[in-house]
């Protein structure tokens, strides 16, 4: 077209009155235009970066010298922003977790040697994990991005138990080599079982039929195995090299540092307080578990994919503009399929599409519907006859028409647009649509109707994923209780761990319910990780308690010694884990921040449950009978 400035007002009015431009490609005030670009499905992330760079270059050149600007958005560019944020987060998680964990080791052990004993294995484990992940071709996702940080804190947590045992033995007068060997003998079995229970919890995620979750489960389980192998092999070998030399700070190792002694003394006083009235602590634990469990049972699933975008995301802001000024960024796509080989009769096709169009139009949330029916209405208003419409469209074969009709595949597409909403709001609308589609299928038995679209699919999938994750978590709980019972050869030991390890999940779920955060799938994944680590705490307590009982200690003295000895390691280990996962609070991704917050809640609650409720439960069950037999009579056979 050739036109001058005088023609612009008329052109503007014609465009704003056009049914396929107004509110779809041009805002009502004509200040914002929308360009829709189709790209290949699921491109590689590196190819997508090239496309994004080229589009930005083209846009900048086209708008140079004007007061206009352009931004890219859409699902493909969400991936770019998320992956970029995850790569930054991964560096922060590893760096912050490693640095703060070293500082904590220095504070508690007051020796750079002990800091090295924890830091070197952690560094090796992270490198191994990153290498294995790269060899497997696993992409960085919202979940797999936290695995290196998880491995770092797991190594530090396991190392702390071995180092506390090592220091106790050195203080007791053992030579370095004997102290290292005794620490591995006494604590090594608990570390093996702890790694197994955490790996089982993570491997349970493989039961979820979604690659995002199952891929994370396998990657994290491999990382857990690597963390254990490096800890149990590298740390003792490094300890022999650093501590095994004659005169290697023997005098310093023969006295407890003040922080070390104060922590142990505090745990001993705590143990005496619990054992003085175990029934009260057990009753409080049971009441909290029941009350929190009821709240957890009533929590509603929640999902919106924009929750996984970085804070301040340009792509997300563009989507907000499209939601506000256009018909919405989300769409329910209703695919209509006629039998193969059946000629598309104009009246029948347009009638079926018209019914489908009206079905979407009456749904809540839907603000605009675009289909062949829209084109039909527009063409009839323009003077074209009804029997000419399909022939005209088949001949035109324009990209715009091909979004609504495929002559080659005997199909049509009806799109209902709406602003972004949470899955909890969209699922009831989809349920209503299913009922309406049943009526359409009954009226047209030879025609197929399928509702799809990213928003619809992700809303359904998120609910299904959360259900599957809850199921896998239950399986992990059952398997770990069974494993503990088998290892300790005691049904009672397995049952002891059940209450104290379900309690943190119930409490975290109750907090999510009370804060209105909803049950997102990253929360359930966090439950799985938190449960695996919580089981580790119970294992170390049960293992040392069995050791004390095997030496002839009575129930309450054995429990008091267990809390005084294992309590400091659990406390410092929990602190390391909290600080390590606390790095997620610095993430730009809201979902990752929520993930870290849930894990921290679980870790803190698990520490309290295992230090307060577990000893109270054992004392209440075993202490009343005044048993003084060895552990084979106490933790054997239930």
């Amino acid at each position: 077209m050739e036109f001058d400035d005088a023609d612009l007002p008329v052109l503007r009015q014609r465009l704003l009155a056009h049914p396929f431009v107004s509110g779809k490609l041009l805002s009502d005030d004509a200040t914002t235009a929308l360009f829709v670009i189709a790209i290949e499905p699921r491109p590689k992330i590196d190819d997508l970066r090239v496309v994004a760079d080229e589009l930005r270059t083209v846009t900048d050149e086209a708008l140079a010298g004007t007061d206009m600007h352009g931004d890219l958005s859409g699902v493909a560019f969400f991936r770019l922003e998320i992956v970029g944020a995850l790569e930054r987060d991964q560096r922060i998680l590893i760096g912050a977790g490693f640095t703060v964990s070293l500082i904590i080791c220095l504070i508690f052990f007051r020796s750079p040697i002990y800091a090295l004993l924890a830091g070197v294995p952690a560094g090796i484990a992270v490198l191994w994990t990153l290498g294995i992940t790269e060899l497997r071709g696993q992409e960085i996702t919202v979940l797999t991005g936290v695995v290196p940080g998880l491995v770092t804190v797991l190594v530090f947590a396991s190392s702390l138990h071995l180092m506390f045992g090592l220091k106790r033995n050195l203080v007791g007068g053992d030579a370095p080599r004997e102290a290292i060997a005794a620490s591995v003998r006494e604590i090594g079995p608990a570390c093996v079982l702890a790694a197994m229970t955490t790996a089982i919890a993570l491997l349970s995620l493989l039961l979820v039929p979604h690659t995002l979750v199952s891929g994370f489960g396998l990657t994290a389980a491999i990382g857990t195995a690597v963390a254990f192998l490096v800890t149990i092999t590298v740390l003792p070998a490094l300890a022999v090299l650093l501590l095994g030399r004659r005169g290697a700070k023997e005098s310093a190792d023969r006295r407890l540092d003040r922080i070390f002694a104060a922590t142990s003394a505090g745990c001993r006083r705590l143990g005496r307080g619990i054992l003085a009235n175990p029934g009260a602590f057990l009753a409080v634990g049971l009441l909290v578990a029941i009350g929190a469990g009821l709240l957890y049972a009533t929590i509603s699933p929640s999902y919106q994919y924009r929750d996984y975008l970085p804070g301040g995301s340009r792509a997300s802001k563009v989507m907000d503009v499209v939601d506000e000024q256009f018909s919405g960024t989300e769409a329910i796509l209703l695919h209509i399929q006629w039998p193969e080989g059946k000629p598309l009769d104009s009246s029948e096709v347009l009638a079926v599409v018209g019914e489908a169009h009206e079905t979407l139009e009456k749904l809540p949330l839907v603000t605009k519907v675009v289909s062949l029916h829209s084109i039909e209405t527009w063409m009839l208003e323009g003077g074209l006859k009804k029997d000419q419409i399909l022939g005209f469209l088949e001949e035109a074969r324009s990209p715009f028409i091909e979004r609504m009709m495929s002559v080659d595949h005997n199909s049509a597409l009806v799109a209902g647009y709406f602003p972004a909403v949470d899955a909890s709001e969209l699922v009831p609308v989809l349920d209503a649509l299913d009922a309406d589609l049943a009526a359409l299928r009954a009226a047209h038995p030879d025609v197929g109707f399928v509702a799809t679209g990213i928003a619809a699919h992700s809303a359904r999938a998120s609910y299904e994923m959360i259900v599957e994750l809850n199921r896998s978590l239950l399986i992990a709980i059952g398997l770990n209780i069974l494993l503990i019972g088998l290892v300790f050869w005691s049904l009672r030991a397995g049952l002891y761990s059940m209450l104290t390890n379900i309690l943190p999940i119930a409490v975290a779920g109750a907090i999510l319910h009370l804060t209105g955060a909803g049950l997102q799938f990253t929360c359930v994944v966090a439950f799985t990780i938190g449960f695996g680590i919580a089981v580790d705490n119970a294992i170390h307590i049960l293992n040392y308690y069995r050791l004390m009982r095997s030496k002839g200690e009575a129930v309450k003295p054995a429990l008091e010694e267990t809390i005084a000895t294992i309590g400091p390691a659990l406390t410092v280990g929990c602190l390391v884990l909290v600080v390590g996962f606390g790095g997620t609070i610095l993430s730009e991704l809201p979902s990752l921040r929520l993930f870290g917050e849930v894990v921290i809640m679980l870790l803190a609650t698990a520490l309290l449950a295992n230090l307060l409720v577990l000893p109270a439960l054992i004392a209440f069950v075993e202490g009343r009978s005044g048993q003084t037999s060895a552990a084979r009579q106490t933790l054997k056979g239930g």
Side-chain angles (χ1 to χ4, degrees):
M1 294 175 63
E2 294 183 5
F3 52 88
D4 54 30
D5 290 348
D7 299 321
L8 288 178
V10 177
L11 178 61
R12 173 193 173 103
Q13 292 305 316
R14 290 187 63 184
L15 283 172
L16 289 175
H18 198 293
F20 302 120
V21 175
S22 177
K24 283 296 297 175
L25 302 176
L26 191 65
S27 63
D28 292 338
D29 59 4
T31 62
T32 309
L34 189 65
F35 286 77
V36 181
I37 303 166
I39 63 174
E40 293 181 2
R42 293 196 61 81
K44 293 180 179 179
I45 197 69
D46 291 335
D47 294 338
L48 194 54
R49 287 192 176 102
V50 173
V51 172
D53 290 341
E54 291 182 355
L55 281 174
R56 289 190 182 97
T57 300
V58 169
T59 304
D60 291 343
E61 290 175 355
L63 300 180
T66 73
D67 60 353
M68 295 183 287
H69 69 275
D71 284 302
L72 303 177
S73 190
V75 175
F77 298 104
F78 290 169
R79 281 184 64 205
L80 273 182
E81 288 197 347
I82 290 171
V83 169
L86 286 172
E87 289 174 344
R88 291 190 297 274
D89 288 347
Q90 199 173 72
R91 292 191 291 269
I92 292 172
L93 283 172
I94 295 173
F98 194 84
T99 303
V100 177
S101 298
L102 282 177
I103 292 172
I104 292 172
C105 289
L106 283 171
I107 291 173
F108 271 85
F109 292 98
R110 302 180 67 184
S111 166
I113 290 179
Y114 283 91
L116 283 174
L117 288 179
V120 172
I124 293 173
V126 168
L127 289 175
W128 283 13
T129 303
L130 291 173
I132 293 171
T133 302
E134 182 67 25
L135 286 173
R136 291 178 54 238
Q138 175 69 54
E139 288 187 2
I140 297 177
T141 67
V142 175
L143 295 177
T144 57
V146 305
V147 171
L150 173 65
V151 169
T152 301
V153 295
L154 285 178
V155 171
F156 271 101
S158 298
S159 299
L160 282 170
H161 286 286
L162 290 171
M163 291 191 299
F164 268 95
L166 169 60
K167 185 151 190 168
R168 283 195 304 271
N169 295 333
L170 288 172
V171 168
D174 290 350
R177 283 180 176 269
E178 286 72 20
I180 295 166
S183 177
V184 172
R185 281 196 307 269
E186 293 174 0
I187 300 167
C191 290
V192 174
L193 184 55
M196 289 175 65
T197 54
T198 303
I200 287 172
L202 293 166
L203 287 173
S204 70
L205 297 175
L206 293 176
L207 301 174
V208 180
H210 297 278
T211 55
L212 177 68
V213 176
S214 59
F216 164 75
L218 181 57
T219 303
I222 292 172
T224 302
V226 168
F228 165 72
L229 288 173
V230 172
T231 303
I232 207 68
T233 56
V234 175
L235 189 147
L238 188 62
V240 170
L241 292 175
L242 297 178
L243 299 173
R245 304 187 312 275
R246 180 181 295 274
K249 289 196 171 182
E250 288 184 14
S251 60
D253 286 330
R254 288 183 180 277
R255 68 178 188 277
L256 288 170
D257 296 322
R258 275 179 284 183
I259 295 178
F260 187 89
T263 306
S264 183
C267 288
R268 187 177 294 278
R269 286 194 296 271
L270 175 65
R272 288 171 181 168
I274 296 168
L275 298 175
N277 193 359
F281 282 90
L282 179 58
V284 171
L286 286 171
L287 288 174
V288 171
I290 293 170
L294 291 173
L295 288 175
Y296 176 81
T298 58
I299 191 171
S300 299
S302 174
Y303 174 82
Q304 188 176 167
Y305 65 80
R306 289 200 204 176
D307 293 338
Y308 298 87
L309 288 172
S313 160
R314 289 297 307 168
S316 182
K317 290 179 179 178
V318 172
M319 296 298 252
D320 291 338
V321 172
V322 175
D323 275 345
E324 181 182 349
Q325 300 189 17
F326 297 91
S327 304
T329 55
E330 311 294 353
I332 297 174
L333 303 177
L334 181 53
H335 181 256
I336 306 172
Q337 181 68 59
W338 284 269
E340 187 177 350
K342 180 179 179 179
L344 296 184
D345 177 73
S346 176
S347 59
E348 179 190 355
V349 169
L350 293 177
V352 171
V353 172
E355 291 181 47
H357 184 107
E358 292 173 1
T359 298
L360 285 188
E361 207 165 34
K362 70 180 184 181
L363 289 176
L365 301 179
V366 174
T367 57
K368 191 178 186 69
V369 180
V370 178
S371 69
L372 285 178
H373 181 71
S374 311
I375 298 175
E376 176 192 6
T377 303
W378 176 58
M379 287 184 166
L380 290 175
E381 290 174 354
L384 203 65
K385 294 181 180 179
K386 195 163 188 173
D387 59 1
Q388 296 176 313
I389 293 176
L390 278 181
F392 179 83
L393 296 179
E394 289 180 21
E395 186 178 345
R397 290 292 182 102
S398 71
F400 177 67
I401 302 303
E402 288 177 351
R403 280 291 296 170
M404 303 176 204
M405 172 186 173
S406 175
V407 177
D408 296 336
H409 298 91
N410 274 32
S411 62
L413 197 66
V414 182
Y417 294 91
F418 56 95
V421 294
D422 189 85
S424 58
E425 297 179 60
L426 182 56
V427 168
V429 175
L430 296 175
D431 292 339
L433 176 59
D434 287 342
D436 293 335
L437 291 182
L440 277 177
R441 294 185 186 107
H444 306 282
D446 60 335
V447 182
F449 298 89
V450 177
T452 185
I454 292 175
H457 181 71
S458 60
R460 294 283 197 202
S462 66
Y463 269 54
E464 293 172 3
M465 188 185 299
I466 290 170
V467 170
E468 293 290 341
L469 282 167
N470 271 318
R471 185 179 296 122
S472 70
L473 181 59
L474 288 174
I475 292 172
I477 291 172
L479 287 176
N480 278 326
I481 291 171
L482 178 63
L483 180 61
I484 291 172
L486 289 174
V487 170
F488 288 105
W489 203 242
S490 166
L491 175 62
R492 183 180 291 174
L495 294 177
Y496 283 158
S497 68
M498 183 170 66
L499 172 62
T500 52
N501 294 313
I502 291 177
L503 180 61
I505 296 173
V507 170
I511 293 173
L512 290 174
H513 177 92
L514 294 173
T515 57
L519 189 61
Q520 300 183 23
F521 83 87
T522 49
C523 296
V524 190
V525 173
F527 289 162
T528 304
I529 292 177
F531 168 74
I533 296 173
V535 172
D536 297 353
N537 293 347
I539 288 169
H540 283 287
I541 289 176
L542 292 172
N543 180 65
Y544 200 83
Y545 171 67
R546 183 178 68 168
L547 183 63
M548 290 294 98
R549 295 285 281 142
S550 67
K551 294 179 179 179
E553 293 284 351
V555 173
K556 290 191 175 182
L559 284 170
E560 181 183 323
E561 188 63 31
T562 298
I563 296 171
T565 304
I566 301 299
L570 292 185
T571 303
V572 179
C574 179
L575 182 60
V576 168
L577 290 167
V578 166
V579 169
F581 282 105
T584 58
I585 307 300
L586 304 174
S587 173
E588 297 178 7
L589 302 174
S591 60
L592 195 55
R593 290 200 298 271
L594 180 61
F595 172 86
E597 290 166 2
V598 172
V599 172
I600 290 171
M601 283 191 289
L602 286 162
L603 293 172
T605 311
L607 177 66
L608 293 175
N610 282 294
L611 285 182
L612 302 179
V613 181
L614 181 57
L617 176 60
I618 297 173
F620 185 81
V621 173
E622 299 183 12
R624 292 180 302 167
S625 60
Q627 296 177 29
T628 56
S629 58
R632 62 180 178 274
Q633 295 171 306
T634 306
L635 287 178
K636 194 171 183 180

